[in-house]
Amino acid sequence: MRYFYRSDLFKILVPAILILLLSLQSYGKNSLDDLVFLSCKTDKNITPNLNNGYRAFILSDNAPFKTIFGEINSFLDNNENEIITLIIESESSEFLKELEQSNSKHYLAIPEQQSIYDLEDCKTKSKRLFVFTPEKTRFSYAYGNFICNYNVPPGFPNDIYGGFDERPENDLVIFSMDNFLKESEDTLNQHPEKIPQLFNANTGKLPNFFVTRHQEIFSAYHEAFLKQKWYTASVEYNGEPLEGITWKNMPQMTSFGKIHTTQGELSPYKVGFHFSPDVFNFNSQTSENIKKFYARQKDLEDEMILLLHFNQNIDNEIAKVSEIPFNNIEYKKDKSRGWCAVFNGSDNYIDYGTDIDLSDNFTLSVWVNPTNLNGNKSIIGKGKALSVKFRNGSLLFTTPGLKDHVMDSAVVQTNQWQQLTYVISAGNTVRFFRNGEIVGEQNAGEINSTEYSLLIGTNLWDEFFNGMMDDLTIWNRVLSDDEVKRYYQVTKEKNEKNIHQRSRNIGLLVVLLGFSVILLLNRRKNKKTQVEVAIKHQNPISSIKLKNKNKSSIELFGGFKIINRDGEDLTSRFSLRRKQFFILVLIETIKNNGVSSKQLTNYIWAGYSPERAKNNRSTQILRIREILAQNSGVNIEFNDKKWTLTLDDDIYCDLADYFNLMEQLKQFPTPSYNTELISAILKIVEKGMPLPNMDDEWLDNFKSEISEELLETFLPLYSNKQFAEESDLIIRLSHALLIYDPLNETILKHKVKSLVRLGKTSTAQECLDHFDKVYQQCYAQPFQKSITDIMEMD
């Protein structure tokens, strides 16, 4: 297939043009992600590619690393303004060994000393070689913390976001488009340099590492890139990049992290957030700086226009209404929600007049306990403009022309309380929620303004609500999914408080009865000769059973690793996103018998639209299944609305092993213990903290739970006199526990004392020195205790 460059002469000129372009200094480009490099994947020498303008290289495991470092050293010696980037997507001890021994190491940007966001400092110190590896090392940056992959998807540009294979919020992008060229539409076929331009216009990201063998395409794009005036901006929330930002003057863009744009005026938008400033215009003094926008969540009361608690009245808690034209509802004190409104389904309703004016975008939330679901049951209606209701249990929203936006399935239940929320964005979508969780979404029609009254419990067509209603709330804005969930929790507390109040007197009676029963049992108590305690699972262990460790395994402690039955390490085939997905499903399978698609989105694709989250989820599942098909004995399945992992009987999982062993250990009443079980648990946990190189927020709680469980379980053992005599086991236990609580003086004390008892004074001193080093890093002062001091501690 031929592209828009057809001249053989041009093919000769391309390398020269590229070298000229790449040698141009881009004013104000002080961050690695501000630049675009011609890049390639290779397992060969790189000198020919360097001569042809390539400046970033994705190296395979069998590349000649020693030769490549020599080529880089020679090139940088002779080209003082050039920058080279190396990317290693899989673990390679050979690469790290050659890197440490190479002559080009003096050009290397050191993570602890140089920042990829300060190229001026790097160039001043001649640190012009950047290396990215799967995990951070002394000489390389962590790939997953900075880089995301983007392969132009078949649906481009309509499905532009489906091409991300890593964290889209990362600033650097590996951009690949060659596979797409054969299927591209005619306009892009003739002008393929528009593909990266469209990518930037829709995502705000630059194709930093432009992977292509079509140098003429890169040359055309890069020439246009250098002619543009670029501005950069980011949006932060609680000190972290906020995902899923749209921009008022760039409606096609949804951004993740820092953006690069030629648009001089910027105004960020995200449902449920305020921004400061809310608009910014670059000028000659500010054009070279990164503009930071600071986000804060909106209060749930923001733009709330109606709040009815139905406490024997229909007073609006938000604003005074001049006059209520009609009201004939009744009130009832419900045992769980207190006072609420009762609608008889035939003629009860409220006419709230025209004081409540709904905008094109609004949200309605209400607690209902319906008596009858048959036919249409209206919650509110406003003339011909709209009606919020449900039909036969399916949530429904009606707009002009009698256009019904209805869910495919019924979710409303009779004779029970449930919160229903409708989020309407006119001309865009209507989203349906039940008890804070999204249950459906439809494309929305337009809403015509109306001067008609707001009717509650009926509508224009006498579709009367039948049942009880409580906490009816309307906002003149769209609520985010998170805000819907938060408001559900807020209004749910009313229910829980009522239940709590009702149960207080009952609780007192139960306590008195319980005390009497205890006295009676104590009188009948016989001396026990054996303690039998059944294993109790706070979080039920799934079908993943305790197994002997075989060649095939999944390990999380000390770092993620998966080995198949052939002994092949499959770990490197998991990109960061695949790792996140796989590990989340594994953990939730073990703890809670699986994870829902909604939970996956909240944890991994927060800020994505449901369609984008679904597309990304489907892509990752497909690729994970391709990996697991390599004789892994592991399967990912979707049953009962949950994603789960199933392991064949011969597959070992250290996390499942850990949970089972801990449950068995808990059979022994404190401070009793079982040496064999403790040794088995230590064999797992002394490998290191679970997933130490993954910093996802949803993992922090899991890691904390493991640490707290270990400390709560094992610290009491130190007070056991029999256990105190087992010095070797104490040393081993203390060494493991210090991984999870490195500044715990009690653990240090027992470890040092046990080492001294065994005559290992020098080892005890090393242990103390290491503790002191960590202590100083944390508290900026020495620990100031000697071995003698520790030996004198109680």
Side-chain angles (χ1 to χ4, degrees), residues 659-704:
F659 277 117
N660 276 282
L661 290 168
M662 289 296 289
E663 292 294 347
Q664 292 180 47
L665 186 66
K666 290 173 185 176
Q667 294 182 63
F668 296 88
T670 305
S672 299
Y673 65 96
N674 179 285
T675 302
E676 184 179 354
L677 277 174
I678 292 175
S679 296
I681 293 168
L682 291 180
K683 190 174 182 180
I684 298 171
V685 301
E686 65 193 0
K687 293 187 298 181
M689 181 78 72
L691 308 165
N693 298 311
M694 294 183 66
D695 299 321
D696 302 87
E697 185 176 345
W698 56 268
L699 269 177
D700 290 342
N701 289 336
F702 170 73
K703 293 179 182 181
S704 296

Side-chain angles (χ1 to χ4, degrees), residues 30-34 109 111 114-119 122 130 132 141 145-146 171-172 258:
N30 196 37
S31 177
L32 198 63
D33 60 272
D34 290 331
Q114 282 83 42
S115 168
I116 69 167
Y117 301 110
D118 191 354
L119 291 185
C122 293
F130 295 89
F132 295 88
Y141 301 87
N145 292 340
F146 296 96
D171 292 334
L172 291 163
K258 186 192 293 187

Side-chain angles (χ1 to χ4, degrees), residues 611-635:
E611 183 178 359
R612 284 188 56 209
K614 182 179 180 181
N615 290 339
N616 275 267
R617 184 171 66 246
S618 298
T619 300
Q620 297 304 332
I621 291 169
L622 177 64
R623 292 177 179 171
I624 290 173
R625 282 175 169 160
E626 290 173 354
I627 297 170
L628 298 180
Q630 306 301 309
N631 200 22
S632 71
V634 184
N635 294 288

Side-chain angles (χ1 to χ4, degrees), residues 428-455:
N428 190 3
T429 60
V430 53
R431 293 161 64 78
F432 303 103
F433 297 78
R434 183 182 186 275
N435 292 342
E437 299 291 335
I438 188 166
V439 291
E441 180 176 358
Q442 295 283 327
N443 293 329
E446 298 293 337
I447 298 175
N448 294 331
S449 60
T450 178
E451 296 180 357
Y452 289 102
S453 295
L454 175 72
L455 303 181

Side-chain angles (χ1 to χ4, degrees), residues 277-389:
D278 57 354
V279 63
F280 181 79
N281 204 314
F282 287 99
N283 56 39
S284 58
Q285 284 76 39
T286 61
S287 63
E288 304 303 330
N289 301 323
I290 298 174
K291 179 57 190 174
K292 287 189 178 181
F293 294 87
Y294 297 95
R296 70 169 179 85
Q297 281 190 321
K298 289 184 176 181
D299 294 330
L300 287 173
E301 293 79 12
D302 282 1
E303 298 183 62
M304 188 183 287
I305 58 173
L306 181 68
L307 175 58
L308 302 181
H309 289 310
F310 296 118
N311 292 330
Q312 301 185 77
N313 59 59
I314 53 172
D315 293 342
N316 184 3
E317 300 293 329
I318 299 301
K320 180 70 176 176
V321 175
S322 56
E323 182 180 357
I324 309 299
F326 182 82
N327 167 33
N328 71 339
I329 63 169
E330 299 176 357
Y331 302 96
K332 177 180 178 180
K333 193 168 186 178
D334 181 74
K335 62 181 181 180
S336 61
R337 294 205 62 83
W339 287 105
C340 57
V342 180
F343 296 81
N344 62 16
S346 59
D347 58 5
N348 283 166
Y349 70 95
I350 304 167
D351 184 338
Y352 226 81
T354 59
D355 286 353
I356 305 298
D357 184 24
L358 298 181
S359 68
D360 289 343
N361 301 311
F362 72 94
T363 301
L364 178 143
S365 176
V366 63
W367 283 83
V368 296
N369 187 341
T371 303
N372 188 334
L373 299 178
N374 295 330
N376 290 330
K377 306 297 179 185
S378 179
I379 297 169
I380 68 165
K382 203 166 191 338
K384 298 179 181 180
L386 58 91
S387 179
V388 174
K389 53 192 175 183

Side-chain angles (χ1 to χ4, degrees), residues 50-62:
L50 285 170
N51 293 336
N52 284 324
Y54 286 86
R55 296 294 180 267
F57 303 92
I58 304 169
L59 303 181
S60 65
D61 291 342
N62 56 351

